[in-house]
Amino acid sequence: TGLRALRYHLEVPGLAKVIANDLDPKAVETIRRNVEYNAVSTDSVVPHHGDAMDVMMAHRKMDSEMRFDVIDLDPYGSASTLLDSAVQAVEEKG
């Protein structure tokens, strides 16, 4: 639904961008509707369709502009298969 991403955007000071990712295209459309409903720019909360592991691995470069400060995983089931990708994609001291 993107509600956690919206809460982060609205309640955590200093966030430049939140990527709300889901593998289900219908869920991504719901995220987009919720972002619009809450009058938040899709530049600030970005609805994204893709595999979480692929998204994180695309941001693993040592360039700090590409890496995430925080990664919040909320998969169905265990997040253990995503932890390696998350560690590689998060900024040092993130």
Side-chain angles (χ1 to χ4, degrees), residues 5 41 46 76 82 85:
S41 166
V46 181
Y76 292 111
L82 302 171
S85 301

Side-chain angles (χ1 to χ4, degrees), residues 5 16-21 28 31-32 35 40-49:
K17 178 168 58 172
V18 178
I19 298 175
N21 183 71
V28 176
I31 293 167
R32 188 177 319 283
V35 169
V40 173
S41 166
T42 54
D43 291 332
S44 298
V45 176
V46 181
H48 186 272
H49 173 247

Side-chain angles (χ1 to χ4, degrees), residues 7-29:
R7 284 196 67 193
Y8 282 129
H9 169 72
L10 296 170
E11 297 178 8
V12 178
L15 288 181
K17 178 168 58 172
V18 178
I19 298 175
N21 183 71
D22 204 291
L23 188 57
D24 182 346
K26 291 179 183 177
V28 176
E29 185 53 39

